[in-house]
Amino acid sequence: MAKSTALQSGARARLRTLSVLVAAVALALTACTGAGQQAPAPSGAPTAGATSAAPAPAPEETRTLVIGATAEPQTLDPTATDAAAGPQALLYNVYETLVRLDAAGDLKPLLAQAWDVTPDRLTYTFRLNPAAQFSDGTPVDAEAVAKNIERIQTGTTAPKLKNQMEVVVGTEVVDATTLDVTLSRPSVTWLFDMAGAAGIVMNPEGFDAAGSETAGSGPLTLDRWTPGDSIALKRNDAYWGTPARFDEVTFRYFKDPNAMNASMLSGQLDIISNLQAPETIDQFSDEGRFTIIEGSTEGEVTMAINNGAAPEGVPAGTGNPALQDVRVRKAITMAIDRRALLDTVWHGKGTLIGSMSVPTDPYYEDLADLHPYDPEEAKRLLAEAGHENLTLRLRPPTLPYATKAAQFIASQLGAVGITVQVEELQFPRQWIDTAMTNADYDLTIVSHVEPRDVATYANPAYYWRYDNPAVQEAVRKAGEGTIEEYTTEMRNAARIIAEDAASVWLFALPNLVVTKEGVTGVAENANSSLSFDVTTIAKA
Amino acid sequence: MFRQLLGRLGIFLLSLVAASFAIFVITQALPGDVAAVILGHGATPEQLAAKRAELGTDRPFLVQYLEWVTAMLGGDFGRSWFSHLPVTTLMAPRLGVTGSLVSGGLLLAVLIALPLGAVAALRRRQWPGLLTSATAQVGMAIPAFWAGIILVFVFGVLLRWLPPNGYVPLGRDPGRWASHLVLPVVTLGVIQAAVLVRYVRSAFLEVLAEDYYRTARSIGWTKWRALSRHGIRNASLSLVTVLGLQLASVIVGAIVIERVFVLPGLGSLLLDAVATNDLVVVRGITMVLVFAVLLINAAVDISYVLIDPRLRAREAS
């Protein structure tokens, strides 16, 4: 039976090709983790977006806006995860909040026309705009707002948002347009958080289907969602406020920065929301066709140092004990030429910083030169501390900027006599487990995109493993004080951690936006609401 | 015949089981706690434990594996850990994208490779044949993503004849569906054709040495007529085998091409799921791809019988 042998050998050969396929998947799993999206708190700043599609068909009379973005939402419910992608597309565009953050980072009325706070700063009274209504015509009343606050606290929402809402102990519906919210302690940050995803007021009718349908009160509503490709929004004709300037607004998602650039160059896109490959920015130097906006974000690219504090109930970590010596941490900071690193890693775009604070923070103080680049002084400090032969494990996540920075830093620390072993950790899973949860590292590099995240240094259980009562006290006072006290105390905390060299703050991420000629009104800075607010944008 | 088919079915099923086990082991072996990734910063130990229980990642390995396989037999591939949507819902719209790309690419590859392979065989000692063979060599050496980037740059950015990337479903606008698929299909098809040309050439060369070909020539048929009348059917036996074997590499190539051309296909979904550690989705897609490859290869075996009457005759006797 000639054929049966042919069959068997064919089957063997095919099993080989099958194993090739399985191996390819295995390889992809272990190696292809560069594009870490779905960034949790310390996030892969250069996130990635997905696949594509086409700007909506544009009959002459339709006014469209197409925005290229990187991180794609996994769900249409912006409160379900703490990823930035949901709020980017939906906040202020589809979903509204009681108060909003404007381009300058100031709080402005949105669903609430006005709000008062009692002198003890524990009870807020919001007066809702009586005109406000959801896209199905139901009014946005105090009852609906109260239900949303409860949903954040008890529903299946992101732990980050639950923590932001944790300070609320009660809501009281005074009448249809008046809501009292009572806090357990004064909090300056709570109202700011209410301008972000935590404060989204969703039509309670839409709670159950929020993952795949939107139920907002904003100027746009969902037209269609094509996972892996785009989210298309259309004008909400029943909008209660100033109508949207566009009939269709599409967010297209790109994992590959080069594909996004090609789309922009070919005229498919109106805006690149944040350029992820800064070295390609010169492609858009034609001023007749494109405008480049260089603003700031809330992101600090940080090299974490394991400070070695091990509070009860958290894993002890494996930080090198030498890092508990402030002289060693200062030496590490001074051994790194951060200007040269910024040129290498982010094409020189971005701002040098000296603490966990960005220039748009109200409490910002320029500390970039507190520990200037000085390898000689770094060697002297190491000798003084008795650590001339130090070996450290630098464990960056597998994100392009982090691995690039790691090589650069390894060589610079080598120059002052510190041996650096670079071991990459697959992002997000392995990195979160190893570095964040178990503090199993000496040094690691990641971008922290949370606003006002200097407060993380007040938590000894955070992966910095930094325990300093002075910082904890300052952050506590800031949170419970007045706006003025908040500013003073946060500045104080940022200065203490800088003097302590608790981490090495490499640089603040820039917000690089490219717009097509004729597009105006795009905010220069990305603020803490995470929204890519299209309500201010116009197209000639 | 029946026994052979039964044996073939057995191989098919065994391969599926082996593949499912391999896929599960590999995805399970990744270090780290996916609950911490899903919940993000600020999750309490209780929330983490509840999440693990919800995902079932706290149960023994074999229990998880068996549950996964059992559910799949009922058509349930589970729900994405991140979006909570059923994996089948995520995959359904993308099958069409990948299907269009792979079938278009294969079709184009065959359409290019057959005539070129014939030229390379018939004119093997003259410049057209040598040129074809040399071009095929160069074509095989070009990485698909690089070819894609060049095509995007030339036709999408410089000339602006075609959209550089993106996708429009067939149902929404057939014209724009086609225009968006031209560059990716050409990229995949041309690269695959380069591989295929060499097989077509050697298959035709074998035919040229056969008695029936010499007979056809001796009764006055032209080279081309003899080859198209007798050659294609005889050569297709080995070509179908090669095509079946190539399928796995075409699918892997499609994954890369989907990325370059930002097509929302299965490959893009797979890469996204890998990046976020959405292992339920990774397993589901991999199983579907493995299933497709195994199924096509089984079909190739059966097609031998259809192509080759000698096999049918032998079966009958």
Side-chain angles (χ1 to χ4, degrees):
Chain A
M1 298 246 326
K3 180 173 172 227
S4 81
T5 44
L7 261 182
Q8 278 156 13
S9 71
R12 265 198 303 277
R14 256 163 260 125
L15 271 180
R16 274 200 302 277
T17 61
L18 177 64
S19 55
V20 168
L21 187 67
V22 171
V25 171
L27 193 69
L29 277 168
T30 52
C32 164
T33 50
Q37 51 161 159
Q38 176 69 27
S43 99
T47 37
T51 357
S52 117
E60 273 66 55
E61 71 278 10
T62 317
R63 297 190 55 78
T64 64
L65 185 72
V66 186
I67 300 155
T70 45
E72 184 191 13
Q74 301 262 338
T75 155
L76 287 184
D77 180 358
T79 65
T81 73
D82 63 5
Q88 181 189 45
L90 301 176
L91 187 62
Y92 304 158
N93 301 325
V94 171
Y95 283 114
E96 296 184 314
T97 46
L98 293 175
V99 289
R100 62 178 282 146
L101 277 178
D102 68 6
D106 294 323
L107 287 172
K108 290 281 149 63
L110 189 54
L111 289 170
Q113 287 176 309
W115 60 94
D116 304 309
V117 59
T118 52
D120 62 3
R121 303 199 308 281
L122 287 176
T123 303
Y124 284 79
T125 301
F126 294 97
R127 284 175 225 297
L128 303 184
N129 191 319
Q133 57 175 31
F134 293 111
S135 55
D136 69 353
T138 335
V140 179
D141 58 14
E143 186 71 44
V145 180
K147 278 184 185 160
N148 274 276
I149 290 175
E150 191 197 333
R151 176 175 176 270
I152 296 287
Q153 289 183 317
T154 60
T156 52
T157 51
K160 182 185 106 177
L161 304 186
K162 287 187 192 298
N163 291 345
Q164 292 177 350
M165 203 61 95
E166 171 259 356
V167 67
V168 173
V169 287
T171 56
E172 193 194 336
V173 178
V174 180
D175 60 50
T177 58
T178 312
L179 181 76
D180 284 350
V181 179
T182 311
L183 309 186
S184 59
R185 57 172 192 276
S187 167
V188 174
T189 50
W190 176 73
L191 197 58
F192 277 91
D193 291 337
M194 286 296 281
I200 280 176
V201 180
M202 197 180 273
N203 189 340
E205 298 289 318
F207 281 174
D208 292 337
S212 51
E213 288 166 35
T214 64
S217 59
L220 298 161
T221 60
L222 180 72
D223 185 11
R224 56 178 181 272
W225 175 32
T226 315
D229 177 89
S230 60
I231 291 180
L233 307 175
K234 61 178 185 223
R235 180 208 298 269
N236 171 12
D237 291 324
Y239 185 54
W240 58 277
T242 314
R245 291 194 184 86
F246 301 97
D247 301 303
E248 280 191 20
V249 174
T250 306
F251 284 84
R252 276 190 62 192
Y253 296 101
F254 296 86
K255 283 285 182 302
D256 174 10
N258 293 314
M260 178 144 70
N261 289 354
S263 244
M264 187 76 190
L265 290 168
S266 77
Q268 282 185 325
L269 300 180
D270 295 309
I271 299 171
I272 288 181
S273 63
N274 191 358
L275 196 73
Q276 291 300 304
E279 66 279 7
T280 63
I281 200 161
D282 297 336
Q283 296 182 343
F284 304 104
S285 54
D286 181 352
E287 287 177 13
R289 287 185 68 199
F290 305 107
T291 307
I292 297 171
I293 302 169
E294 271 189 67
S296 65
T297 66
E298 302 275 350
E300 301 100 348
V301 176
T302 307
M303 180 166 81
I305 298 175
N306 192 335
N307 284 259
E312 223 162 288
V314 299
T318 63
N320 189 317
L323 296 173
Q324 293 171 19
D325 188 329
V326 65
R327 291 169 298 187
V328 175
R329 299 197 300 263
K330 275 186 192 167
I332 290 172
T333 308
M334 297 178 90
I336 300 169
D337 182 352
R338 284 170 289 145
R339 169 56 61 190
L341 178 129
L342 180 59
D343 289 343
T344 306
V345 175
W346 216 255
H347 200 59
K349 308 287 175 189
T351 316
L352 294 185
I353 48 172
S355 184
M356 196 67 161
S357 174
V358 293
T360 45
D361 285 330
Y363 49 82
Y364 178 73
E365 178 184 6
D366 185 356
L367 298 170
D369 291 324
L370 190 64
H371 303 300
Y373 173 55
D374 187 346
E376 290 313 313
E377 176 64 9
K379 279 187 205 163
R380 198 194 61 74
L381 282 167
L382 286 171
E384 190 185 306
H387 289 295
E388 285 109 329
N389 293 312
L390 196 57
T391 298
L392 297 174
R393 294 161 303 151
L394 171 52
R395 313 186 83 175
T398 49
L399 298 167
Y401 70 92
T403 52
K404 215 167 166 183
Q407 294 305 331
F408 186 90
I409 289 169
S411 110
Q412 292 216 311
L413 293 185
V416 299
I418 301 175
T419 308
V420 177
Q421 300 163 343
V422 178
E423 302 157 12
E424 295 180 12
L425 299 176
Q426 184 263 338
F427 188 87
R429 193 167 164 176
Q430 195 187 10
W431 184 85
I432 288 183
D433 199 55
T434 308
M436 243 197 145
T437 308
N438 293 313
D440 182 8
Y441 75 101
D442 293 325
L443 306 168
T444 183
I445 299 165
V446 84
S447 152
H448 284 258
V449 299
E450 295 293 296
R452 304 178 295 275
D453 41 14
V454 61
T456 55
Y457 289 86
N459 175 8
Y462 202 61
Y463 79 112
W464 322 120
R465 295 296 151 87
Y466 176 73
D467 190 357
N468 184 339
V471 175
Q472 288 152 27
E473 179 68 7
V475 169
R476 189 188 59 78
K477 279 200 219 153
E480 297 180 1
T482 61
I483 297 262
E484 292 72 32
E485 286 164 332
Y486 174 79
T487 310
T488 316
E489 293 299 335
M490 290 292 268
R491 183 178 296 137
N492 188 19
R495 181 165 259 283
I496 300 172
I497 59 169
E499 282 167 352
D500 244 359
S503 299
V504 185
W505 298 277
L506 299 172
F507 59 92
L509 281 171
N511 190 39
L512 297 175
V513 180
V514 184
T515 61
K516 198 192 256 182
E517 209 237 319
V519 174
T520 52
V522 181
E524 184 181 315
N525 300 328
N527 68 35
S528 63
S529 74
L530 304 174
S531 162
F532 192 87
D533 184 354
V534 302
T535 61
T536 60
I537 298 174
K539 188 168 141 187
Chain B
M1 170 81 168
F2 182 70
R3 241 185 79 202
Q4 283 178 3
L5 277 181
L6 213 61
R8 190 65 195 78
L9 187 71
I11 292 173
F12 175 68
L13 291 177
L14 268 179
S15 310
L16 266 187
V17 170
S20 72
F21 194 74
I23 289 166
F24 201 83
V25 169
I26 291 169
T27 51
Q28 196 75 11
L30 286 176
D33 177 10
V34 77
V37 179
I38 295 170
L39 289 178
H41 177 52
T44 60
E46 295 77 37
Q47 285 169 334
L48 287 170
K51 193 71 184 175
R52 278 183 219 119
E54 179 196 324
L55 300 176
T57 52
D58 56 348
R59 284 171 305 162
F61 172 81
L62 268 182
V63 175
Q64 291 188 49
Y65 172 70
L66 288 176
E67 280 195 356
W68 177 61
V69 171
T70 321
M72 253 190 323
L73 290 176
D76 175 11
F77 283 69
R79 282 172 178 267
S80 157
W81 284 345
F82 289 90
S83 69
H84 304 291
L85 293 171
V87 176
T88 43
T89 308
L90 290 172
M91 287 195 294
R94 294 167 180 261
L95 276 172
V97 182
T98 305
S100 313
L101 178 60
V102 169
S103 52
L106 273 180
L107 185 70
L108 183 68
V110 172
L111 289 180
I112 295 175
L114 271 186
L116 285 187
V119 169
L122 287 173
R123 302 261 187 269
R124 63 187 176 285
R125 290 190 228 291
Q126 293 147 288
W127 69 264
L130 293 173
L131 185 71
T132 309
S133 298
T135 313
Q137 289 282 6
V138 174
M140 281 171 65
I142 296 175
F145 76 90
W146 188 81
I149 288 170
I150 298 296
L151 288 180
V152 165
F153 184 71
V154 174
F155 295 100
V157 175
L158 279 187
L159 300 171
R160 298 213 217 168
W161 289 352
L162 290 161
N165 53 44
Y167 184 77
V168 177
L170 177 61
R172 198 151 86 225
D173 186 338
R176 296 181 60 239
W177 169 78
S179 72
H180 280 84
L181 275 177
V182 170
L183 290 180
V185 164
V186 166
T187 310
L188 188 63
V190 167
I191 301 272
Q192 285 304 320
V195 179
L196 216 51
V197 160
R198 292 162 48 83
Y199 289 105
V200 175
R201 177 178 179 271
S202 59
F204 279 167
L205 282 178
E206 271 176 40
V207 171
L208 293 183
E210 294 285 349
D211 293 343
Y212 56 77
Y213 176 77
R214 206 175 45 219
T215 310
R217 290 279 287 141
S218 68
I219 61 172
W221 288 15
T222 64
K223 279 183 183 178
W224 296 103
R225 180 156 179 228
L227 200 62
S228 58
R229 186 82 177 78
H230 293 314
I232 290 180
R233 193 170 175 112
N234 279 293
S236 57
L237 202 59
S238 51
L239 287 184
V240 164
T241 310
V242 170
L243 274 180
L245 292 173
Q246 279 295 106
L247 186 72
S249 83
V250 174
I251 288 175
V252 172
I255 291 174
V256 175
I257 285 167
E258 281 176 17
R259 189 55 107 211
V260 173
F261 291 98
V262 200
L263 296 172
L266 280 183
S268 295
L269 182 61
L270 179 63
L271 290 183
D272 292 352
V274 166
T276 53
N277 267 262
D278 201 340
L279 298 186
V280 177
V281 177
V282 173
R283 287 170 193 153
I285 298 171
T286 317
M287 268 321 283
V288 167
L289 294 180
V290 165
F291 183 79
V293 170
L294 288 173
L295 195 69
I296 299 244
N297 280 306
V300 165
D301 280 348
I302 292 162
S303 72
Y304 290 153
V305 185
L306 300 178
I307 295 171
D308 193 340
R310 287 169 299 184
L311 285 177
R312 258 175 304 186
R314 208 170 296 160
E315 298 298 341
S317 62

